[in-house]
Amino acid sequence: MVTTQPKGSPDEADLTRADSLAREIFSDIANKWALLIIETLGERTMRFSELRNEVEGISHKMLTQNLRMLERNGLVERHVHPTVPPRVDYTLTQPGQALRATVDGMCDWTHRYFGHIEAARHRFGT
Amino acid sequence: MVTTQPKGSPDEADLTRADSLAREIFSDIANKWALLIIETLGERTMRFSELRNEVEGISHKMLTQNLRMLERNGLVERHVHPTVPPRVDYTLTQPGQALRATVDGMCDWTHRYFGHIEAARHRFGT
DNA sequence: CAGGATCCAAACGGATACTG
DNA sequence: CAGTATCCGTTTGGATCCTG
């Protein structure tokens, strides 16, 4: 990722294809809601309505949309219980858990550098 | 982050303030371009036009916008050389470098689970 | 309860033109 | 070269209504 493509390489086509796919995946998951969902779901399996409550501020629409995307990329597994009313559980897959570890890092970072950031903002003006 | 606020805590006001600030910071940096800039700038100090070339696909506007935001949050330092034509260097601060480490993790993840993701997408339909 | 569909306002983001 | 400002189409995302 972030690679300046070596344009002369033999399997250039595959490299660029892989590169653009990597980029696409990155774009998918590098967004606020997706990362918050991954982080939240990391704690434990949850159903739709639980997620809705735990991920503060997320709308119905954004939650479904991101869950579908995460499922498509194999980060989340969706289990439908054929009951009525329906019950759907969402769980992080192993790749999802692996990514969650790095998202944890981002969260830790936010807390560790909280002071730095406030100071920087003050220096900056706003 | 991602906390279900303990509404009864004594310094509740401070907690929610800190929480919403943490959330704001998270929203700022958890976006595609910001993370790509951090990742790219992690390699070395670069000037505006270099960044423009290295961060593939980024527009002039998005680059300036995100650089300002990163500067405001103390992740990036901006050094203006008073020459003509002007030359501006951007460098990651120490907090920026720290965050970069976790972004590296995300990039590694993308490559490590590349196969899983392709397979998942295939199973999913698209 | 889970989630699809629709409407619509707000934001994002690219292209372009202009300045020091 | 670096950066601001503006125009304007595209996308996002919330609110709402509807189904199994």
Side-chain angles (χ1 to χ4, degrees):
Chain A
M1 189 135 3
V2 189
T3 53
T4 323
Q5 286 106 317
K7 294 285 188 194
S9 123
D11 36 9
E12 173 185 339
D14 272 9
L15 279 182
T16 49
R17 189 187 131 290
D19 240 39
S20 77
L21 187 47
R23 186 57 170 275
E24 193 190 319
I25 295 165
F26 192 84
S27 302
D28 268 4
I29 59 177
N31 90 64
K32 180 183 158 182
W33 293 128
L35 294 183
L36 284 176
I37 291 172
I38 289 167
E39 180 68 7
T40 305
L41 217 46
E43 296 169 30
R44 59 182 174 83
T45 292
M46 288 185 199
R47 46 194 301 189
F48 187 84
S49 46
E50 286 177 306
L51 269 170
R52 182 106 164 73
N53 293 329
E54 295 293 326
V55 182
E56 187 173 316
I58 198 169
S59 71
H60 187 139
K61 188 179 181 179
M62 285 303 97
L63 184 53
T64 359
Q65 209 167 90
N66 278 282
L67 282 174
R68 289 296 159 277
M69 179 274 287
L70 292 172
E71 191 190 356
R72 178 172 110 92
N73 288 320
L75 292 168
V76 158
E77 249 168 30
R78 183 165 173 272
H79 297 289
V80 184
H81 303 274
T83 59
V84 44
R87 175 196 178 96
V88 182
D89 288 333
Y90 290 95
T91 317
L92 278 195
T93 61
Q94 188 262 318
Q97 287 287 358
L99 181 57
R100 191 228 171 185
T102 86
V103 180
D104 278 349
M106 281 191 52
C107 291
D108 290 349
W109 178 91
T110 307
H111 292 117
R112 179 166 305 113
Y113 290 97
F114 201 86
H116 286 73
I117 296 170
E118 278 199 307
R121 287 189 174 190
H122 189 259
R123 279 194 306 277
F124 192 79
T126 68
Chain B
M1 193 134 0
V2 190
T3 52
T4 322
Q5 286 108 314
K7 293 287 187 195
S9 123
D11 36 11
E12 173 185 338
D14 271 9
L15 279 182
T16 50
R17 191 188 131 289
D19 240 38
S20 78
L21 187 47
R23 188 55 170 277
E24 193 190 320
I25 295 165
F26 193 83
S27 302
D28 268 2
I29 60 177
N31 91 64
K32 180 182 160 183
W33 293 129
L35 294 182
L36 285 175
I37 291 172
I38 289 168
E39 179 68 7
T40 306
L41 217 47
E43 296 171 27
R44 60 183 172 83
T45 292
M46 287 185 198
R47 46 194 301 189
F48 187 85
S49 47
E50 287 178 304
L51 269 170
R52 181 106 166 70
N53 293 329
E54 296 293 327
V55 181
E56 187 173 315
I58 198 169
S59 72
H60 187 137
K61 189 181 180 177
M62 285 301 98
L63 184 51
T64 3
Q65 210 167 90
N66 279 280
L67 281 173
R68 290 296 159 276
M69 179 273 287
L70 292 173
E71 192 191 354
R72 178 170 110 92
N73 289 319
L75 291 168
V76 157
E77 248 166 31
R78 183 165 172 269
H79 296 288
V80 184
H81 303 274
T83 59
V84 44
R87 176 196 177 92
V88 182
D89 288 334
Y90 289 95
T91 317
L92 277 194
T93 60
Q94 186 261 319
Q97 287 289 356
L99 181 58
R100 190 226 173 188
T102 85
V103 180
D104 278 349
M106 281 190 54
C107 292
D108 290 348
W109 178 90
T110 306
H111 291 117
R112 179 167 304 115
Y113 291 97
F114 200 85
H116 286 72
I117 296 169
E118 278 198 309
R121 286 189 177 190
H122 189 261
R123 279 195 306 277
F124 192 80
T126 68

